[in-house]
């Protein structure tokens, strides 16, 4: 199985290198790892120990951010290295002030794991939610370097828990401690012989409860919104935008702000084809006051504003539920507004919880979206759902404090 795993890693990297000239993300992935050892060895201070945080992508960075911030605030003398697997995380956070160095994670091979670990001398390592790399984990275990999984979540259908999953369970055996999000994850691990596990919840709650306090005022959005009710569509994809188009025609008194997951020209153009009269944020200064007043839709064609945009909304629509899975619902919920999303939400504990407490609403098409939205025309129902969302977020904060206590008790800090 190890041979098959290694061949899979090799094949995946080879495919990305092959398509890199024609695919932006593949090009960033490959170029970011080119001559990685030379680049890192010339950058990292020789002989210095580091705390190593790894994130699959941007969402996982935001998930682990509260722990990063706490360590940076209380232990400013510690050196921190962040690695990302995905370009969508690295390219956006490569200049974060929460780390001394930010790199792409080299491919998971025995040689790469050894050279990388030799180079950075980790005191301890934190992985967030998922990503389990055989050679890196084995290298850390052999060196007895503590490895923590925070905000981890497991499901019965994962390969770790299948009869043929022995090789992958060996990867889990390298983890020093699992801080899991829910009871199901706890029971799955314990049923498979793991006792180094405890429920802390999701560290994202500690991050998102701060967002309303840190909200950036956006004058252009305030002018566009004026005194209208507002739907904020966050991280939308084409399937989501088609539904929003159908909805907009039914509720002309509502303003709609669409912040798509991808902002390349082709995607923005497709949104403009659905909403010909829509304004673009990048060109806002060119619009007259009359045009701004009459416009129903504003397209956000940049990155980094979404967590503040939700503060202008009365209802949020979270994209991705008709694709691989929904995006971040908590950034909207923390502002005390109800959240709507597509049918692919079952991998996300917070989405299931929001539905259960009456703050989240899953829809499978236009008819269901319009039914849910019709309910929100009643102010009391909208306010009730929003308050339940806010309460849910506040009640689940605190995972970071538990993790920090563990690090201190184990004398890792």
């Amino acid at each position: 199985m190890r041979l098959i795993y290694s061949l899979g890693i090799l094949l995946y990297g080879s495919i990305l290198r092959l398509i890199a000239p024609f695919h932006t993300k593949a090009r960033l992935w490959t170029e970011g790892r080119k001559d990685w050892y030379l680049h890192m060895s010339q950058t990292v201070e020789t002989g210095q120990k580091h705390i190593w945080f790894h994130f699959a992508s941007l969402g996982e960075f935001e998930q682990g951010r509260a722990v990063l911030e706490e360590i940076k605030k209380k232990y400013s003398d510690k050196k921190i290295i962040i690695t990302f697997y995905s370009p969508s995380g690295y390219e956006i956070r490569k200049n974060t002030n929460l780390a001394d160095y930010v790199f792409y994670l080299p491919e998971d091979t025995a040689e790469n794991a050894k050279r990388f670990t030799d180079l950075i001398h980790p005191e301890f390592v934190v992985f967030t939610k998922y990503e389990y790399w055989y050679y890196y984990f084995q290298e850390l275990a052999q060196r007895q370097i503590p490895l923590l999984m925070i905000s981890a979540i497991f499901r019965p259908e994962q390969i770790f828990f299948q009869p043929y999953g022995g090789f992958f369970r060996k990867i889990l055996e390298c983890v020093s401690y699992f801080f899991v999000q829910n009871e199901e994850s706890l029971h799955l691990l314990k049923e498979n012989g793991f006792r180094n596990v405890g429920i802390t919840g999701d560290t994202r709650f500690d991050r998102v409860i701060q967002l309303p306090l840190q909200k950036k005022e956006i004058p252009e959005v305030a002018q566009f919104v004026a005194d209208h009710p507002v739907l904020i569509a966050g991280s939308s994809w084409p399937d989501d935008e088609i539904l929003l188009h159908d909805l907009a025609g039914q509720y002309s008194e509502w303003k709609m702000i669409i912040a798509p997951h991808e902002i390349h020209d082709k995607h923005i153009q497709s949104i403009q084809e659905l909403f010909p009269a829509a304004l673009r944020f990048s060109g806002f200064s060119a619009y007259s006051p009359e045009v701004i007043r009459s416009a129903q839709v504003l397209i956000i064609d940049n990155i980094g504003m979404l967590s503040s945009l939700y503060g202008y909304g009365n209802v949020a629509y979270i994209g991705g539920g008709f694709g691989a899975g929904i995006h971040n619902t908590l950034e909207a919920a923390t502002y005390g507004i109800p959240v709507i999303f597509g049918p692919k939400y079952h991998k996300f504990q917070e989405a299931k919880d929001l539905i259960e407490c009456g703050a989240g609403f899953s829809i499978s098409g236009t008819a269901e979206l319009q039914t849910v939205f019709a309910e929100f025309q009643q102010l009391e129902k909208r306010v009730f759902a929003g308050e339940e969302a806010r309460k849910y977020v506040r009640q689940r904060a605190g995972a970071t404090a538990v993790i920090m206590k563990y690090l201190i008790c184990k004398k890792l800090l």
Side-chain angles (χ1 to χ4, degrees):
M1 181 59 78
R2 185 172 66 176
L3 177 60
I4 295 173
Y5 176 88
S6 298
L7 289 174
I9 296 291
L10 178 63
L11 179 61
Y12 184 74
S14 298
I15 291 172
L16 289 182
R17 290 179 178 88
L18 188 64
I19 67 174
F22 319 102
H23 192 283
T24 301
K25 284 188 176 179
R27 184 169 62 253
L28 291 169
W29 190 97
T30 56
E31 288 180 354
R33 290 167 169 83
K34 187 177 181 181
D35 297 326
W36 70 266
Y37 186 79
L38 178 63
H39 170 60
M40 289 188 195
S41 61
Q42 293 176 342
T43 306
V44 176
E45 183 179 346
T46 305
Q48 173 68 54
K49 287 190 173 184
H50 299 88
I51 299 171
W52 172 24
F53 277 80
H54 174 72
F55 306 107
S57 191
L58 183 60
E60 289 70 39
F61 172 85
E62 294 301 327
Q63 199 156 27
R65 184 169 181 161
V67 179
L68 261 174
E69 289 177 336
E70 195 71 7
I71 292 175
K72 195 72 175 176
K73 179 173 69 176
K74 294 185 176 179
Y75 302 90
S76 57
D77 58 317
K78 295 289 186 180
K79 299 292 184 181
I80 296 174
I81 281 182
I82 288 175
T83 57
F84 285 100
Y85 185 77
S86 166
S88 58
Y90 175 84
E91 296 299 327
I92 295 174
R93 296 300 181 208
K94 60 187 176 184
N95 295 316
T96 178
N97 60 6
L98 293 176
D100 297 276
Y101 309 102
V102 182
F103 301 117
Y104 278 101
L105 180 68
E107 291 167 273
D108 187 32
T109 68
E111 181 183 6
N112 284 355
K114 183 179 186 307
R115 297 178 80 192
F116 180 78
T117 308
D118 283 341
L119 190 63
I120 70 167
H121 298 292
E123 296 183 64
F124 66 89
V125 181
V126 179
F127 273 51
T128 301
K129 191 174 182 178
Y130 49 55
E131 282 213 0
Y132 298 87
W133 298 112
Y134 177 80
Y135 290 108
Y136 281 107
F137 281 32
Q138 286 289 323
E139 190 68 31
L140 294 170
Q142 288 170 14
R143 300 185 189 211
Q144 298 184 321
I145 297 170
L147 168 60
L148 312 177
M149 296 296 307
I150 66 172
S151 298
I153 191 162
F154 294 95
R155 301 179 305 280
E157 64 270 20
Q158 286 176 303
I159 195 169
F160 308 114
F161 311 116
Q162 305 309 314
Y164 50 83
F167 170 81
F168 295 94
R169 284 193 292 275
K170 286 183 180 179
I171 302 178
L172 298 185
E173 290 171 5
C174 298
V175 176
S176 305
Y177 201 85
F178 296 91
F179 297 93
V180 299
Q181 292 190 31
N182 56 24
E183 290 278 353
E184 182 180 46
S185 299
L186 178 78
H187 292 317
L188 277 169
L189 288 174
K190 287 195 170 183
E191 286 168 4
N192 283 271
F194 295 93
R195 296 292 177 264
N196 53 332
V197 53
I199 298 178
T200 54
D202 191 339
T203 49
R204 278 184 303 169
F205 289 98
D206 299 317
R207 167 65 180 156
V208 298
I209 61 172
Q210 299 299 321
L211 293 179
L213 304 176
Q214 300 169 355
K215 174 192 166 189
K216 297 176 182 176
E217 299 300 324
I218 310 171
E220 298 90 339
V221 172
Q223 184 181 357
F224 170 75
V225 167
D227 56 356
H228 292 267
V230 182
L231 182 145
I232 308 290
S235 300
S236 64
W237 292 84
D239 286 342
D240 303 305
E241 290 142 13
I242 291 170
L243 296 182
L244 294 171
H245 170 264
D246 296 338
L247 187 69
Q250 298 292 320
Y251 296 95
S252 58
E253 73 278 13
W254 279 71
K255 296 271 189 172
M256 189 176 290
I257 299 175
I258 301 176
H261 184 69
E262 295 185 341
I263 59 168
H264 55 72
D265 290 342
K266 186 176 179 180
H267 190 186
I268 297 297
Q269 184 179 346
S270 73
I271 301 174
Q272 289 188 299
E273 289 172 359
L274 282 171
F275 302 96
L279 311 183
R280 287 182 63 162
F281 185 84
S282 61
F284 198 88
S285 61
Y287 301 120
S288 68
E290 183 179 29
V291 168
I292 295 170
R293 278 196 302 272
S294 62
Q296 185 183 13
V297 178
L298 174 64
I299 303 170
I300 305 299
D301 50 1
N302 60 32
I303 291 174
M305 294 171 53
L306 185 56
S307 62
S308 291
L309 283 173
Y310 288 125
Y312 292 93
N314 302 99
V315 176
Y317 178 99
I318 310 301
F322 292 89
I326 61 171
H327 294 285
N328 193 335
T329 55
L330 297 180
E331 287 188 352
T334 192
Y335 283 98
I337 59 176
V339 292
I340 304 171
F341 40 82
K344 295 185 179 179
Y345 66 87
H346 296 90
K347 293 181 180 180
F348 304 89
Q349 182 65 39
E350 66 277 10
K352 293 186 283 187
D353 291 343
L354 286 167
I355 290 174
E356 187 175 344
C357 72
F361 304 83
S362 175
I363 53 96
S364 59
T366 298
E368 286 188 6
L369 176 58
Q370 293 187 351
T371 298
V372 169
F373 206 74
E375 291 289 311
F376 289 151
Q377 303 316 296
Q378 300 179 45
L379 180 61
E380 65 274 15
K381 290 188 176 182
R382 197 165 74 226
V383 170
F384 172 80
E387 284 305 311
E388 288 300 306
R390 193 196 317 271
K391 187 193 306 181
Y392 170 74
V393 172
R394 289 178 175 175
Q395 288 176 343
R396 282 158 179 78
T400 298
V402 176
I403 294 167
M404 291 298 294
K405 184 177 180 180
Y406 175 93
L407 293 173
I408 293 167
C409 288
K410 293 294 182 178
K411 299 182 178 179
L412 299 177
L413 287 173

